[in-house]
Amino acid sequence: MVQAARELLAVRSPLDAELMVSDMIGAWWGRRVRGGDVEQVLGEGLVDYAAKAGTPASLTLLICLAYLGTARQGAKAEGAALAMMESGVARPGWADRVGAVKPTGCYVSRDAYGDQDTVICTFAYRYGDGGPGRGDAPAAVPGGQERHALVMVVDHNMSGMARDAWVSSQVDKLLEEARAEAAGNPMLVFGEIEPQQARALLESAMKATSEPKTPPPVSDSYSAYHAFARARLKALPPGRKRPAPLHIEAPYSRERRAMLAAEFLASDAAEHLSDPSAASRCADHIIEYGCEQDFSRPLRVSPTKCETFLLDWLPRKVMLSTAEQEAMPHVLAAWVRFAARRSGLPEQGLKATLDAVWEAIGKFPEAYRDPTSFGLDRPLLERLLPDGDLSALARRAFAFPFLQGFHNGIELDRLNPADEADRRALLEIDHVGAMDEEHLAWHEEIATRLWEGDPPQLWEAAQRLLDLGHDRHDVLHVLIEIAERIGGDPDELAAALDDIADIPDEF
């Protein structure tokens, strides 16, 4: 990378240099390395290596990293750059203006469904802003103020994550095309927003993109612009922290959710539903999804949101009765009609959403696999899933494998793994023979964490070891050893669990 930085000496503007370095350090964005954080191992490692090189190219790279890097990388890069400049290392004239930008406007193009926001933030360079070597620019600057636009796409069906980013130097043409597209499409809205709103939305979106442990579904170019976007957003004024989207509603209390469900069931849209009891429970699940997974927007409906709810979230998260399985597609279609009227969705959007629901109905029986079809009886499922969280079934069955039959005169079917006293009894049955209290307490700690899914890395690590063919008890003992060694630091525990690839030989 330090060798590649020689190309920075040939560019003519700070914008080109920033984009080049952003692309360079985007090579490790979202990657994992064993034994540490990738930004620390590679990012800070690059800063240290560039500082030792002591060349004009490495200085230019450090100046860009001081602006584009993480807080730790930036501080180290700035210190190293200042030291090199004091020693007389040369740098390009434009290097004084890296990151010296001011915002000139923020805009959003939003579809009528509320699925997606395309946010456009425009900037121009300014002079005399301080920083490593920054001062007054030369009188003749190629490209003038170099206006440019950062464009980011926020997907509200994917937890509000940023899924795409790019930069355009043709600002006027970009804005003109966005206005023209919205003017000719009733399903699009385009307008200017406050810079504070844009910063809050995009910072939240970038955070959502970086949170998943598995690679997020972003565009191929997102990593190349990630560092540039992160740095540019800091040029926008901070303001009221609105997580996303810009049109978020206030959180729904339990009473407000119940009232909304009652209004729906009493509406004309729901009058054809034949099983009021099942319809009520289905409505509760729809409202829960909108509140918990869609930023408190249960009345927002779209083709993508309905398909995701019916074919992805429900099969993974909710245990439905037979009556609810039969009723759910029809309740969802009725909810779409009810919500569209309440939210003002155009008729074109209502029709497209209903078409998507009816198409998904044919796939629902295959997508939703009733756990009882696996040979598990419903009373057992209800003991393992008192909260109805279907995604917890495998890890809870792993934590408590003995829940049926008799052991030493004890009827296991009567023991409740959600109850602390019964949980202890089940673990004692799972460990026949002498076992000291401390070790049993650690088994109880791990079982409780698996039951609650806290942290999620615990079950992920267990699955990796099970997939390698390791015995269940050996896997539990590895998890216990890590939890005992790390102690109470949740971040360190999650990192240590992420690093598990196999069981060490000593086990």
Side-chain angles (χ1 to χ4, degrees), residues 466-481:
L466 291 169
D467 288 343
L468 292 173
H470 291 296
D471 177 76
R472 171 177 170 273
H473 273 288
D474 289 342
V475 172
L476 286 170
H477 289 156
V478 170
L479 301 180
I480 288 172
E481 188 277 331

Side-chain angles (χ1 to χ4, degrees), residues 358-425:
W358 295 126
E359 184 175 344
I361 285 177
K363 304 174 184 176
F364 182 65
E366 181 179 351
Y368 191 90
R369 300 293 302 279
D370 191 328
T372 58
S373 68
F374 306 149
L376 300 174
D377 61 51
R378 187 158 292 275
L380 175 61
L381 287 168
E382 290 172 351
R383 288 161 65 207
L384 284 169
L385 305 175
D387 52 2
D389 183 0
L390 196 54
S391 65
L393 179 59
R395 57 180 159 83
R396 290 178 181 175
F398 172 77
F400 299 100
F402 301 112
L403 293 171
Q404 292 179 304
F406 288 84
H407 179 81
N408 290 339
I410 300 174
E411 187 177 356
L412 302 184
D413 298 76
R414 293 184 176 274
L415 297 181
N416 179 12
D419 179 80
E420 186 175 341
D422 287 355
R423 181 176 295 173
R424 183 78 172 200

Side-chain angles (χ1 to χ4, degrees), residues 60-318:
T60 308
L61 175 59
L62 286 170
I63 291 172
C64 292
L65 288 173
Y67 173 65
L68 294 168
T70 64
R72 284 172 55 97
Q73 293 165 11
K76 294 184 69 173
E78 184 170 11
L82 289 171
M84 291 174 66
M85 286 187 286
E86 289 175 1
S87 69
V89 178
R91 65 191 185 278
W94 54 256
D96 295 343
R97 297 186 295 124
V98 168
V101 297
K102 58 183 178 182
T104 57
C106 295
Y107 310 84
V108 64
S109 177
R110 178 184 304 125
D111 66 72
Y113 296 118
D115 281 340
Q116 181 173 287
D117 290 338
T118 301
V119 183
I120 303 172
C121 299
T122 62
F123 302 89
Y125 281 87
R126 57 188 177 188
Y127 310 138
D129 275 19
R134 292 179 192 159
D136 292 332
V141 178
Q145 287 188 315
E146 286 189 281
R147 287 182 68 211
H148 54 281
L150 168 66
V151 186
M152 298 191 74
V153 178
V154 181
D155 189 337
H156 298 301
N157 289 313
M158 294 293 294
S159 303
M161 67 170 54
R163 295 193 60 178
D164 200 1
W166 66 92
V167 172
S168 172
S169 59
Q170 301 183 43
V171 177
D172 292 333
K173 180 180 179 182
L174 177 69
L175 295 177
E176 182 181 344
E177 289 178 350
R179 291 190 184 97
E181 185 180 13
N185 187 346
M187 296 298 293
L188 280 179
V189 178
F190 179 80
E192 191 166 5
I193 58 173
E194 296 180 0
Q196 295 92 332
Q197 287 181 300
R199 176 171 176 170
L201 170 62
L202 294 179
E203 284 185 337
S204 173
M206 293 186 73
K207 181 181 178 182
T209 304
S210 64
E211 284 178 347
K213 295 299 178 184
T214 55
V218 297
S219 70
D220 293 339
S221 64
Y222 180 83
S223 61
Y225 293 100
H226 177 266
F228 182 90
R230 178 180 60 196
R232 277 298 188 269
L233 293 184
K234 294 175 184 176
L236 299 176
R240 184 170 59 254
K241 292 297 183 182
R242 289 179 142 183
L246 296 174
H247 37 91
I248 186 174
E249 293 190 31
Y252 274 66
S253 64
R254 181 178 299 180
E255 292 75 15
R256 189 181 178 194
R257 295 185 191 191
M259 185 178 299
L260 182 60
E263 290 173 2
F264 162 65
L265 294 170
S267 69
D268 293 342
E271 64 180 359
H272 68 284
L273 300 175
S274 58
D275 187 338
S277 179
S280 175
R281 294 191 296 272
C282 289
D284 289 341
H285 293 312
I286 294 171
I287 294 170
E288 177 191 359
Y289 180 75
C291 291
E292 303 298 332
Q293 304 297 319
D294 191 27
F295 307 101
S296 296
R297 297 189 296 172
L299 290 171
R300 185 182 81 82
V301 292
S302 76
T304 302
K305 180 180 177 180
C306 289
E307 289 173 0
T308 303
F309 168 75
L310 196 63
L311 303 180
D312 179 60
W313 187 78
L314 269 180
R316 288 188 298 107
K317 297 291 293 183
V318 180

